[in-house]
Amino acid sequence: MTKLSPKLTQKFAWGFAWTTGVIAVLVMLLIVGYVLVQGLPVINSDFLFSSPEGGLAGEGGIFSCIVSTLWLIVITMAILIPLGLGAAIYLAEYAPDNRFTHFIRYCVELLAGVPSIVFGLFGFAVFVLALHLNYSILAGALTLACLLLPFLVRSAEEAMKAVPYSQREAALALGATRWQATIHVVIPAALPGIVTGIILCVGGVVAESACLYVTMGGSAGMPTSLLSGGRTLAVHVFYLAMETNALDKAMATGAVLIVIIVIINLITRWFSHYLQARMKGETSHGI
Amino acid sequence: MSRYFVDRISRRLALCFGTVAFLILIFIAVFILKGSLPALGEIGVADILFSTEWYPSHGAFGIFTMFAGSVVVTILALAIAVPLAVGCAIFLAEVAPCRIGNMARPAIELLVGIPSVVYGLVGMIVLCPAIAHLSGTGSGSSVLAAAIVLAIMVLPTITSISEDSLRAVPTLYKEGALALGATHWQAVYHVLLPAARRGIVAAVVLGTGRAIGETMAMVMVIGNSPILPTSIFAPARTLTGNIASEIGAATGMHESTLFVTGLVLFVLIMAINSVGLLLNRRKK
Amino acid sequence: MYLKINRKKVSVFMTGCVLLAVLALGGCSQGASGTIAIGGSSTVQPLAEKWGKAFEAKNPDVKITVQGGGSSAGVKGCAEGIFDIGAASREMKSSEADQWPELVAIHVAVDGVAIVINPASNSVTGMTLEEVRDIFASGSNATWTVINREEGSGTREVFEEKVMSDTKVAPNAEFLPSNGAVKQKVAATANAIGYISLGYVDSSVKALSIGGVACNEVNCAEGSYPVTRYLNFITKGAPDGLSKEFIDFCLGSEGQKIVGEEDYISIA
């Protein structure tokens, strides 16, 4: 058996690496492209601004689903942001470097790995049944807040830790308390990073389906209060695909979702560029 | 109210918030365990875990088929995704010219954000009919369809963590190898990959966790038959799909067994992710 | 100055979050007056949606939401207060009646369960009940791809009771969550066989005659077709208030006319 020359081996290896890279990008383009090509032509103002009428033909549009999704985003964020930022402030600013802190951080990581449907089961047992919230936007939002918490904590903590320690020291030296230093120095400086984390969580709300399927019910009606059930866009895709013949509308709803996700990706990308530029250029006059 | 008082209060408050993650984890464990107890007590652990018959209306509550379904689909998905992802990571970290890399990276990362129902939908409409055509029988809802969909879903996760760990290897290592006359590929294969091994394994482990937890896309393409996955063209059912499709309608023992399903999933994921986190930590 | 501005911004932001959270929790106390939540059977769902629309048109202040989940979810959801009215495409089981004695079932329409196959690739037009039972008991193979419904489906309970009579459906059948999903799968798969509510049957699938009796509204109404059932609304206690008004509307001439329009069978 002759051994391939190192140069030839490298050619093969590089060929493999290129192929995999091209495959990955192609897969993305094919999926996104397919959904957009199939879905976008179906979308018109009628589709966007009328509500699903149910039935086998999947008549109607997605308006109530858009409204449900927006409600869910607002309520989830209202619960998530104080909790997540509080936890991140603790971990980044107050937590001593000891076993307890390591344990807490470990819990955050573990929580991030728990599957959505397990959160759904938990939310179903606690919020839907035990707390009698029934299938509702509130039950869904509480469940989602638990699910997204570790992601927000992680990104907010990272953003706060990236603020140079000298800035805190300067504030403390001027007589600020730890809390004042956090509120007036660290958080403003870390704000772009924190906002990026929040936007990513909004993306999470939009994309999530499994835990909402079992905590929000599938009612496609226009939500009237926090206690009414609702169907987000992602859950609507599932219903259209599994219970109706309207696969074209499922594709169209999928296309709306993809557009939202792409926009969210672009915003976070822009924000992180902004963040980098700021870190490089502006640290000299930070406070 | 003096600012020192505010400081003291906020310190306590922050500590409370800090423990929230821990509390949620405990609550999840407690509530799922509580829901499982009736079934575990009455039917017995062994009869639930190792019986292959799931027919709740006839009192058969074995979840082994779904456990096997989840494991087999995940392994198949990883068999497809890992070579692709490691290839991609090498491509992005070492091979691709900077500009191409900077265009390919966000493209691949976009795959993370796409909702799983969209993957399920495309799988249903494109993949399943293709597989039905290939196998010549059935509707195409199969282990293979599920594995392919899952592979695409975990690909970006494994790629980006692997790329990070390849980039984390000090450049000196690579330069040393190149200076000794190694080709670029030899440096990658003999120096970079071994040095980044732990990170790549951690990436695969985290990807495994994500794969086992995936729900809606699986329900849409796997056919949900509670049978042992003996052929890649046959349908199967995952633990996650079992919970999602039956929890709304289940009562009594049936409901409790679904909580047991959740418990199995929870323990499985905890174990997998603990391994992943330990590997990732020791790397640092 | 800079400090002050930021402080304001941050505290406004924080209080905004807290306020929203309080509002979110305060929202709990809002009563659900003027709304009826219906949920359960996917067989009843299209009918309930049409009823809901018609009722809303007559009573603009009323809001009716309808969701699926299966008959068992309808019964359970009604008992647990998740739905005001549970929808079930079968009678209440004795186990359910024992567990929740307060539940009341009201017949609102009649429906047949059609055994459907793919029309394009299969020339079979009728079978006997035994033939159907054998196919479902032996499961998917080279000849048939068997499509079953998820546990909790009322249609499945009726099918198991009247067709399978205690024989189990083979577990290698595909399990789908709704009538619509089964219909779509049968229409798309060459050798598929499944069962759906008569109200869902259209030209994309072929409903088999059973023992020579065609599956249509006339035969289901007079009971010569063997697999028929009542569709039920379930309420906690006798219906009262808005729920009663709605159910009365459904049972009235206007409501029963909608039953016919949707290809179900009105109760005599």
Side-chain angles (χ1 to χ4, degrees):
Chain A
M1 199 180 110
T2 53
K3 234 178 150 208
L4 290 175
S5 80
K7 280 212 165 138
L8 204 56
T9 323
Q10 166 148 332
K11 278 224 166 89
F12 278 121
W14 267 208
F16 176 71
W18 272 94
T19 317
T20 54
V22 169
I23 288 179
V25 173
L26 264 187
V27 163
M28 189 284 286
L29 288 178
L30 280 179
I31 292 176
V32 171
Y34 183 79
V35 175
L36 291 182
V37 166
Q38 299 275 316
L40 287 180
V42 184
I43 299 174
N44 52 32
S45 64
D46 211 35
F47 179 75
L48 290 177
F49 295 110
S50 67
S51 290
E53 283 169 21
L56 191 58
E59 289 153 47
I62 54 171
F63 190 58
S64 64
C65 302
I66 295 177
V67 175
S68 291
T69 309
L70 289 177
W71 273 72
L72 189 70
I73 290 174
V74 172
I75 308 302
T76 306
M77 289 303 143
I79 302 164
L80 174 66
I81 291 173
L83 274 184
L85 282 193
I89 288 175
Y90 174 73
L91 285 175
E93 302 299 319
Y94 289 104
D97 188 21
N98 60 17
R99 290 195 125 169
F100 177 72
T101 308
H102 281 286
F103 175 69
I104 291 289
R105 215 163 263 139
Y106 188 67
C107 285
V108 173
E109 297 293 328
L110 275 184
L111 199 63
V114 174
S116 164
I117 189 67
V118 173
F119 278 100
L121 202 56
F122 164 71
F124 180 77
V126 177
F127 304 127
V128 177
L129 296 184
L131 295 180
H132 291 289
L133 298 179
N134 299 345
Y135 286 131
S136 63
I137 290 180
L138 187 58
L142 285 163
T143 313
L144 258 187
C146 296
L147 182 119
L148 294 172
L149 182 79
F151 299 96
L152 184 60
V153 171
R154 232 190 306 186
S155 54
E157 189 197 345
E158 252 167 48
M160 287 186 216
K161 284 209 162 145
V163 177
Y165 205 78
S166 53
Q167 296 197 4
R168 292 182 185 82
E169 281 169 344
L172 294 177
L174 289 172
T177 62
R178 192 82 213 210
W179 176 246
Q180 285 174 317
T182 304
I183 289 295
H184 301 307
V185 178
V186 178
I187 290 192
L191 208 53
I194 295 173
V195 172
T196 307
I198 292 173
I199 297 172
L200 282 177
C201 285
V202 171
V205 177
V206 173
E208 188 48 56
S209 50
C211 82
L212 299 177
Y213 182 67
V214 296
T215 54
M216 263 171 79
S219 162
M222 187 66 80
T224 48
S225 79
L226 292 182
L227 288 185
S228 60
R231 191 191 278 188
T232 66
L233 288 167
V235 177
H236 189 53
V237 173
F238 182 78
Y239 274 98
L240 284 177
M242 298 304 278
E243 307 206 336
T244 71
N245 290 335
L247 289 181
D248 58 330
K249 289 195 172 163
M251 275 293 172
T253 315
V256 172
L257 281 173
I258 284 190
V259 169
I260 296 175
I261 296 296
V262 169
I263 291 174
I264 286 177
N265 261 31
L266 289 178
I267 294 178
T268 49
R269 202 152 284 281
W270 176 78
F271 245 97
S272 68
H273 279 298
Y274 168 80
L275 183 68
Q276 272 166 10
R278 197 174 126 134
M279 283 293 176
K280 276 184 201 145
E282 276 194 10
T283 36
S284 48
H285 44 99
I287 310 183
Chain B
M1 206 161 50
S2 88
R3 62 203 184 97
Y4 297 104
F5 180 69
V6 174
D7 186 49
R8 243 178 318 169
I9 294 289
S10 56
R11 187 181 296 254
R12 299 268 153 74
L13 212 60
L15 175 63
C16 295
F17 281 125
T19 54
V20 164
F22 167 68
L23 288 180
I24 294 176
L25 211 54
I26 294 297
F27 268 123
I28 292 180
V30 166
F31 270 89
I32 291 184
L33 196 61
K34 189 174 149 242
S36 313
L37 283 179
L40 289 176
E42 195 150 316
I43 307 170
V45 182
D47 279 345
I48 296 178
L49 292 189
F50 300 117
S51 159
T52 54
E53 198 187 4
W54 176 260
Y55 214 118
S57 53
H58 286 64
F61 293 113
I63 62 170
F64 186 73
T65 50
M66 301 144 206
F67 182 78
S70 282
V71 171
V72 167
V73 170
T74 302
I75 289 175
L76 267 179
L78 289 176
I80 303 170
V82 170
L84 269 179
V86 174
C88 267
I90 296 175
F91 175 73
L92 291 175
E94 292 295 322
V95 184
C98 198
R99 280 185 52 177
I100 292 184
N102 283 343
M103 283 189 321
R105 199 171 296 113
I108 296 171
E109 275 167 11
L110 185 63
L111 286 170
V112 183
I114 295 178
S116 69
V117 285
V118 172
Y119 286 106
L121 185 65
V122 176
M124 257 176 86
I125 296 178
V126 181
L127 204 53
C128 288
I131 288 175
H133 192 71
L134 197 70
S135 69
T137 172
S139 68
S141 297
S142 56
V143 172
L144 181 61
I148 293 175
V149 168
L150 214 46
I152 297 172
M153 296 181 74
V154 297
L155 175 73
T157 312
I158 304 181
T159 302
S160 74
I161 305 180
S162 302
E163 190 201 342
D164 285 348
S165 49
L166 280 175
R167 284 186 185 279
V169 178
T171 16
L172 273 179
Y173 288 23
K174 191 174 108 186
E175 282 163 2
L178 292 177
L180 287 172
T183 63
H184 191 178
W185 165 246
Q186 284 172 326
V188 169
Y189 186 74
H190 293 290
V191 178
L192 280 189
L193 280 179
R197 192 187 58 219
R198 221 186 269 283
I200 295 174
V201 173
V204 173
V205 172
L206 291 179
T208 311
R210 211 188 143 180
I212 287 192
E214 179 47 45
T215 311
M216 301 314 258
M218 294 298 98
V219 174
M220 292 165 94
V221 299
I222 204 173
N224 300 314
S225 315
I227 51 170
L228 289 172
T230 45
S231 148
I232 56 168
F233 293 118
R237 179 184 290 218
T238 62
L239 292 167
T240 52
N242 193 42
I243 302 174
S245 38
E246 300 194 358
I247 188 68
T251 51
M253 269 312 131
H254 183 191
E255 184 177 18
S256 183
T257 338
L258 292 179
F259 276 95
V260 178
T261 314
L263 190 64
V264 171
L265 198 57
F266 186 71
V267 171
L268 198 63
I269 295 273
M270 284 294 140
I272 291 173
N273 283 349
S274 298
V275 171
L277 287 178
L278 283 179
L279 284 172
N280 219 359
R281 178 154 315 159
R282 237 178 279 160
K283 190 190 71 186
K284 292 167 191 166
Chain C
M1 266 321 269
Y2 196 85
L3 271 176
K4 269 209 169 130
I5 291 166
N6 263 313
R7 178 191 185 142
K8 243 187 199 158
K9 266 188 196 160
V10 171
S11 54
V12 163
F13 180 67
M14 285 293 219
T15 41
C17 292
V18 172
L19 264 180
L20 269 171
V22 170
L23 269 179
L25 294 170
C28 301
S29 54
Q30 258 180 37
S33 71
T35 69
I36 307 175
I38 306 174
S41 162
S42 74
T43 303
V44 185
Q45 198 179 357
L47 192 53
E49 276 163 355
K50 293 285 173 196
W51 274 333
K53 284 268 173 307
F55 192 72
E56 279 175 359
K58 291 182 75 175
N59 308 275
D61 290 339
V62 177
K63 187 90 197 134
I64 295 178
T65 63
V66 182
Q67 62 188 69
S71 297
S72 299
V75 177
K76 180 189 174 194
C78 176
E80 280 166 349
I82 293 174
F83 306 130
D84 300 311
I85 300 176
S89 58
R90 56 169 169 81
E91 299 305 309
M92 278 217 289
K93 289 187 264 189
S94 56
S95 60
E96 288 166 346
D98 291 344
Q99 194 177 355
W100 302 297
E102 71 277 17
L103 293 186
V104 177
I106 300 150
H107 293 167
V108 288
V110 178
D111 180 37
V113 177
I115 317 298
V116 290
I117 59 173
N118 185 294
S121 50
N122 208 324
S123 58
V124 181
T125 56
M127 287 186 191
T128 62
L129 268 189
E130 288 69 33
E131 282 172 326
V132 177
R133 186 184 307 149
D134 288 346
I135 289 173
F136 276 85
S138 48
S140 297
N141 49 36
T143 340
W144 293 105
T145 299
V146 177
I147 316 284
N148 197 3
R149 286 285 303 279
E150 285 289 1
E151 192 78 33
S153 151
T155 309
R156 169 168 157 178
E157 302 264 351
V158 172
F159 178 82
E160 287 190 332
E161 181 197 328
K162 304 213 165 162
V163 179
M164 301 307 288
S165 50
D166 265 355
T167 319
K168 291 177 190 171
V169 176
N172 74 353
E174 266 186 48
F175 286 66
L176 295 177
S178 67
N179 282 294
V182 173
K183 187 184 143 195
Q184 193 185 301
K185 203 65 157 187
V186 171
T189 308
N191 55 357
I193 182 166
Y195 54 87
I196 59 177
S197 152
L198 179 61
Y200 277 79
V201 174
D202 65 15
S203 60
S204 69
V205 291
K206 180 161 63 182
L208 296 177
S209 63
I210 299 298
V213 183
C215 178
N216 58 32
E217 285 155 59
V218 178
N219 290 343
C220 288
E222 61 185 32
S224 56
Y225 183 78
V227 201
T228 59
R229 42 40 192 296
Y230 282 109
L231 304 184
N232 288 287
F233 272 166
I234 315 274
T235 54
K236 216 174 185 171
D240 56 356
L242 201 55
S243 297
K244 182 172 168 24
E245 263 179 62
F246 176 69
I247 294 176
D248 286 345
F249 168 81
C250 299
L251 292 173
S253 59
E254 220 172 318
Q256 291 297 308
K257 201 173 136 240
I258 295 176
V259 173
E261 286 166 6
E262 290 297 299
D263 296 331
Y264 296 83
I265 299 137
S266 55
I267 45 175

